[in-house]
Amino acid sequence: MRQLILNVKGASNTGKSSTIRTLYKEIVKTANYDSLEIFDTNHKPATDVAEDFVCVFNIRGVLIGLASQGDALNQVKSHFNFLTNVKKAQIIVCATRSRGGSVDFIKSHQESGFEVLLYQTSYKKTEIEQTNANCYKAIVILEKIYGRICVDKQIFQTYQS
């Protein structure tokens, strides 16, 4: 399987981490995962997700890594290297800023064979609009993940209803 990076990018306070937290909750609710490891932002084991977190799901032998912290290049590099080199994740969902070093770092992995998909976040006028936008983006990413790992149709249909 070609490694896949799903990059949630945006300016500060546009819902990047919230989108990835929502994605985490949806995977926990809907996937029949084999294992889940949760880490703090220093990659130490944790018992639950915090404001920012790193985790790895094993779903049908496919390792899916999520990293919600991504405002600075050093954070993105650290989490990416942990997920790809230490945890051997085949699908990585990460947060970066819209432009600059962090998103350029992620995009540069296309040249080394990764498939990179970008999901832009943006400011919304109200909290409910922001929550809805984050939730929608999380669902779109979740469908991409499930499609990529060929999750059993029955599980996916249950999720969609």
Side-chain angles (χ1 to χ4, degrees):
M1 171 189 285
R2 183 175 174 203
Q3 285 180 296
L4 172 64
I5 303 170
L6 303 163
N7 178 213
V8 181
K9 66 184 189 109
S12 179
N13 298 314
T14 58
K16 300 179 300 292
S17 293
S18 296
T19 297
I20 294 173
R21 268 193 307 282
T22 301
L23 174 64
Y24 166 85
K25 291 174 187 173
E26 290 299 316
I27 293 173
V28 167
K29 274 191 338 194
T30 64
N32 185 14
Y33 56 89
D34 301 312
S35 65
L36 167 62
E37 295 178 279
I38 302 170
F39 305 93
D40 65 18
T41 55
N42 294 312
H43 308 142
K44 304 290 185 222
T47 56
D48 201 4
V49 296
E51 184 74 16
D52 280 312
F53 67 97
V54 177
C55 73
V56 179
F57 287 94
N58 180 336
I59 302 175
R60 298 183 171 230
V62 177
L63 300 176
I64 301 142
L66 279 58
S68 67
Q69 185 184 47
D71 286 334
L73 175 59
N74 65 327
Q75 296 166 339
V76 174
K77 280 184 175 180
S78 174
H79 301 323
F80 183 83
N81 290 332
F82 177 73
L83 291 171
T84 57
N85 298 329
V86 177
K87 291 302 177 181
K88 307 296 185 202
Q90 295 134 304
I91 299 173
I92 297 109
V93 180
C94 61
T96 66
R97 289 295 177 99
S98 296
R99 57 181 178 243
S102 61
V103 73
D104 290 344
F105 172 77
I106 293 301
K107 287 179 184 176
S108 74
H109 286 81
Q110 288 177 307
E111 297 164 9
S112 57
F114 286 82
E115 180 180 354
V116 178
L117 300 176
L118 305 173
Y119 297 88
Q120 181 70 46
T121 60
S122 59
Y123 294 108
K124 301 298 177 200
K125 291 181 183 178
T126 67
E127 185 176 336
I128 192 74
E129 287 176 329
Q130 190 69 58
T131 299
N132 288 341
N134 297 345
C135 199
Y136 175 76
K137 201 160 304 293
I139 298 305
V140 168
I141 293 168
L142 183 61
E143 289 176 352
K144 183 67 176 176
I145 292 169
Y146 282 177
R148 186 56 165 272
I149 61 175
C150 300
V151 170
D152 183 317
K153 284 270 190 203
Q154 183 178 8
I155 294 170
F156 190 63
Q157 288 170 348
T158 300
Y159 165 73
Q160 286 185 318
S161 52

